Amino acid sequence: MVETPNTVTLRFRYAPPAGPGQFVMIWIPGDDELPMSLSYTGDPKGVTIKAMGDTSRRTLSLPVGTLVGIRGPYGNQFDLDPRRILAVGGGSGTAVLAPAAEAAAQRGSRIVAALGATTAPELLFVDRMKAISEKVEVATDDGSRGHHGFVTDVSRRLLAEQPFDAVWTCGPEVMMKKVISAADERRVPVFCSMERQMKCALGMCDACALGPYHVCTDGPVFPASRLTPIAEFGRTKRDSSGRRVPL
Amino acid sequence: MVETPNTVTLRFRYAPPAGPGQFVMIWIPGDDELPMSLSYTGDPKGVTIKAMGDTSRRTLSLPVGTLVGIRGPYGNQFDLDPRRILAVGGGSGTAVLAPAAEAAAQRGSRIVAALGATTAPELLFVDRMKAISEKVEVATDDGSRGHHGFVTDVSRRLLAEQPFDAVWTCGPEVMMKKVISAADERRVPVFCSMERQMKCALGMCDACALGPYHVCTDGPVFPASRLTPIAEFGRTKRDSSGRRVPL
Amino acid sequence: MADLRTTLVGHTFRNPLWLASGIWGESGNSLKGAWEAGAGGVVTKSIGSQPRMGYPNPTVVTYEKWGMLNAMGLPNPGIEEYPQEIGIARSAGAAVIGSVFGADAEEFAQLAARMAATGVLALELNLSCPHAKGLGSGIGQDPDQVREVVRAVKRAVKIPVIAKITPNHYDVASLAQAAESAGADAISAINTVRALAIDVRLRRPVLAHGLGGLSGPAIKPIGLACVWQIYERVRIPIIGIGGIEHADDVIEYVLAGARAVQLGTAVAFRGIGIFSGLAKELSERLDALKVHRLEEIVGGAHTTATPQ
Amino acid sequence: MADLRTTLVGHTFRNPLWLASGIWGESGNSLKGAWEAGAGGVVTKSIGSQPRMGYPNPTVVTYEKWGMLNAMGLPNPGIEEYPQEIGIARSAGAAVIGSVFGADAEEFAQLAARMAATGVLALELNLSCPHAKGLGSGIGQDPDQVREVVRAVKRAVKIPVIAKITPNHYDVASLAQAAESAGADAISAINTVRALAIDVRLRRPVLAHGLGGLSGPAIKPIGLACVWQIYERVRIPIIGIGGIEHADDVIEYVLAGARAVQLGTAVAFRGIGIFSGLAKELSERLDALKVHRLEEIVGGAHTTATPQ
Ligand SMILES: Cc1cc2nc3c(=O)[nH]c(=O)nc-3n(C[C@H](O)[C@H](O)[C@H](O)COP(=O)(O)OP(=O)(O)OC[C@H]3O[C@@H](n4cnc5c(N)ncnc54)[C@H](O)[C@@H]3O)c2cc1C
Ligand SMILES: Cc1cc2nc3c(=O)[nH]c(=O)nc-3n(C[C@H](O)[C@H](O)[C@H](O)COP(=O)(O)OP(=O)(O)OC[C@H]3O[C@@H](n4cnc5c(N)ncnc54)[C@H](O)[C@@H]3O)c2cc1C
Ligand SMILES: Cc1cc2nc3c(=O)[nH]c(=O)nc-3n(C[C@H](O)[C@H](O)[C@H](O)COP(=O)(O)O)c2cc1C
Ligand SMILES: Cc1cc2nc3c(=O)[nH]c(=O)nc-3n(C[C@H](O)[C@H](O)[C@H](O)COP(=O)(O)O)c2cc1C
Ligand code: FES
Ligand code: FES
């Protein structure tokens, strides 16, 4: 299903149980295998893929019924206990926040969401978030919808307006860093869903090393308190060879 | 524990559950590994070994506490349903009949036993059988105790004296053949515990082939009706190379 | 129902599931039993010139679920006595392949001639037993010797010859090529993988012989790699062996390049009923995969593979 | 509590459980993490002259419980960038062994010199990667080339040198002997075993590279056989690798001849906590077996073995 001009959701039947925050490895035969957060954790499960590089771009044009390989789910989950949650999604980052917000709402938590994108058509899952949130605010870089500017500005305002027990965020690391500093001022704990290059997804090959952690097994969801001491966070990642490269 | 001048019982703790009729492979490190019927199937389990060839003879003089390897149990079990059972044991063959007779007696069956040996001191488990049987008769080749002659004569007489639902027998094959023909006259089904050279005990290597059967997995307990059509029964066995040799 | 028949070594087998050498193959009644249980072909125990007792017990160690280690030491009744066993199997109509092992080309050729005379439909040369010193193992590691043995056997017999290859080599395809160049009609791979188990309490190897050969599910990925590599370098048919238990295992081997397969350890783990059960499972699975004839997909994974 | 310390390559390791190359070894923080989790030594990812991206995904296939197949393709940041990672590990006090791979003796020697300069306490030469074409695999199969590489490295560095041997060979001990004769200070064995997995629905190998290397419990019997055979033919210490998860696995390797062991796949299957957990388990098990010092029983299964 096409979500935005650059984003599609693939739905598939896949038995192993999964929780919000977890990811799967999606194998596009003859191409590559990519980590993708589950944007739907029920049945059928789903992933929402944004065209970034070659493989993800090609994924968008796969004919319906193409056989893909799936392994997982891997990684940890969002803690659904907080009663008042602010979800801050940047671009395709909303993909992982949506099922988590739905699950928390179902358990009685109150959700407020701030969703950002470069431009209005690229905003993801706005209606889906509206269905379960008290309030959904959007921001676009070009001002084509909602706040003209960064979603981080919106989230800072929302944090000032009302109390929260937790902030969930997924998006570019610079964005998440700003969300963290805004929440820190209010002493609200932040949980970030992180991305790194992945190969084994088993906590073995070190491809996804982030400071002392492996994103595939220690994450992908990290409390901000664990991330901020890491020099790499928001600055460098590792390429396929393991070299440190700027984000 | 020494049972007769040529027979000892080894007791050991070994967790896997076993039933009467089954056997284990006993590894005497540095020597050989032999199939041995369980003469005790509870806890501790036990095997009763008679000195036949080199390995079994050396087994008799193992110091207490020697580590041996055990795998199994393997094979099938005696059917304990018959209400009136005649157990005919020749030599160390009584080893496997004793736990089966005990188990059947416990479930309310009536046991009559005929036990044979070359000479009185070699008679095995006479007291053990007496404890659970209606009647125990013995025979020795040299007449040193009980009937002077073959246990097959005794069993023929017992079959004539009273009705049985089943005959269980273990001993030399010529002996078992005679037991079968006596029981056939009275239309009493016979179950024989068979021995053949064994290696894998897994129904794979063919060492224990007996006609279309593998003694290790199809047996060791066979209804006589399956054995009598086999030309090899009572005539030939196979040596370690698989050659047919006279019994 | 997908068509499971497969044609190789001049014969159409009713299904691709053969009994591997050394399993149920010492006695004619057992070969017959495996055939009647549904095996597509039955390979005899490897037979030598003289009766051999094999190694003392323990000869087998099992690893729960994934494998087995054995060092039987090639026990066999010898070629003198063995024809009566083949007679029993053939009288039941079994498709019998006679396995032989020898110390050199000459012994292989003599044995092959005597085995061929029993009426088996093909020979399998055991060039690969990993634990019988000086018997086949040295020979099977050296392409030149493989060539020499196969050539001598081909001169001695008219029936098709299958060369069984060891996996304990860095270039298994070179061994298969050597066999092909000498006229082999098919390759079977793999035999067991050299391995060891130690009892930590007794501080000694468990098997009386020390080293043994690993078989069962754990070696399936190894056997597949060998078949894959051989398929890329020879044109004669390949018979895949190693760790086959399920329909997908068979299909993996076929896609890697096998035209038939053999089952060994699975017979111990799942019983002789595995032949009919697996034939049914295989046929259903091929239907689900929309494959009408097994032979269609032989080597099918090579064409789609990413070239690297 | 049994004494787990083990001395080899001029160093006394606090326990015999090392982190194997390629696992948690690309980043200095991970090496540090493995050390802090209790590893007795940590081997780095194999480092080459240039950064290498490795193969595309999929790079890993798991077999539930008994094994794993991988073809990473030796991704590594290259010797230029890598010293900073070793710095992080060494600053935590870790006993670091630097693994390198090259295409020929000269490249190995150059890399070895640069790796030695980072302050690692020994080098491990990856002579055995089964799936990187032309990189080490050809070299590692030929005793002459092994000798040449080890000799060149020994000339280039002063620190001890460990030669890591492939299992994909019919005579692994000949490779170890070649390394010893050229001055190697220890042998480590084994690397992964060449293997393959095919997806039957997609009709293609699962790994992007096609062939891969098998690791995990299934290869333990294979690794043990290699260590056993090597122990019978060399005098330098052996480091056992392959499928180690439990205390008895370690003891089996030690009885077969290993003075230390490495853990790879078990880290994925049981987590990094395996180092402290296994050290405790090992110590308790040795107590139960009445072994006071692990080093007492190195090669202990050879003396009691039935001579054949
Ligand atoms: C745990 C986890 C969950 C993920 N979940 C999702 C998801 O739900 N939806 C989704 O679309 N993607 C997700 N990703 C990212 C995805 O796995 C790929 O990295 C992404 O699709 C790009 O792959 P590619 O091969 O097409 O691009 P590449 O060829 O690898 O890269 C192309 C270009 O895009 C840039 N780029 C790649 N990835 C990113 C990124 N994450 N952020 C910024 N720039 C990037 C590269 O630097 C490069 O310039 C997730 C990643 C992880 C680790
Ligand atoms: C299922 C099964 C259960 C068994 N249970 C028992 C048991 O409970 N107690 C027990 O003592 N043995 C039992 N045996 C027999 C045992 O396994 C050995 O065969 C026996 O101990 C002789 O072994 P050995 O190596 O000492 O003799 P070997 O060296 O193999 O043989 C020495 C001599 O004894 C003869 N011989 C060996 N076995 C027999 C035999 N069974 N009958 C007649 N002659 C023989 C040989 O022909 C040879 O002349 C059982 C065998 C099987 C297959
Ligand atoms: C107990 C046993 C005995 C074997 N004997 C022989 C033999 O005599 N000749 C031979 O070529 N292979 C022999 N093999 C090897 C098998 O034929 C087969 O190649 C191997 O077991 C791998 O297949 P599997 O994993 O299905 O068992 C034997 C294997 C086992 C387990
Ligand atoms: C994902 C992965 C990557 C590996 N990378 C290397 C490597 O770079 N260099 C090397 O010498 N061995 C490498 N190996 C082999 C391991 O060091 C080890 O020899 C092998 O995995 C067997 O041990 P195990 O069964 O404990 O995993 C790698 C293994 C795995 C599973
Ligand atoms: S992807 Fe391999 S360690 Fe995380
Ligand atoms: S002992 Fe091997 S088949 Fe029975």
Side-chain angles (χ1 to χ4, degrees), chain C residues 55-179:
Chain C
Y55 301 131
N57 282 344
T59 44
V60 172
V61 175
T62 52
Y63 299 97
E64 219 187 315
K65 295 201 180 98
W66 56 263
M68 180 181 292
L69 185 63
N70 90 83
M72 308 306 300
L74 288 172
N76 78 92
I79 192 69
E80 195 73 50
E81 303 236 350
Y82 198 68
Q84 59 177 316
E85 309 293 343
I86 293 192
I88 296 171
R90 286 192 62 220
S91 68
V96 184
I97 290 94
S99 172
V100 294
F101 71 96
D104 54 29
E106 199 186 326
E107 190 181 7
F108 261 106
Q110 276 166 13
L111 273 164
R114 294 183 69 176
M115 182 61 93
T118 67
V120 295
L121 62 85
L123 294 174
E124 184 175 85
L125 311 181
N126 181 356
L127 295 164
S128 44
C129 186
H131 44 262
K133 281 211 188 84
L135 287 163
S137 52
I139 288 183
Q141 286 152 9
D142 175 3
D144 291 335
Q145 291 193 50
V146 167
R147 198 175 294 111
E148 208 189 303
V149 168
V150 174
R151 193 170 290 143
V153 169
K154 282 298 286 183
R155 271 199 217 106
V157 302
K158 291 214 171 58
I159 60 174
V161 172
I162 304 166
K164 185 166 176 181
I165 300 291
T166 178
N168 301 304
H169 197 276
Y170 52 84
D171 187 4
V172 288
S174 70
L175 301 172
Q177 280 182 303

Side-chain angles (χ1 to χ4, degrees), chain B residues 204, chain C residues 20-23 45-46 70 72 74 126 164 190-192 215-216 219 241-243 262-265:
Chain B
M204 176 174 70
Chain C
S21 180
I23 288 85
K45 177 78 195 166
S46 295
N70 90 83
M72 308 306 300
L74 288 172
N126 181 356
K164 185 166 176 181
I190 59 177
N191 210 311
T192 56
S215 62
I219 69 165
I241 320 174
Q262 297 180 14
L263 276 68
T265 305

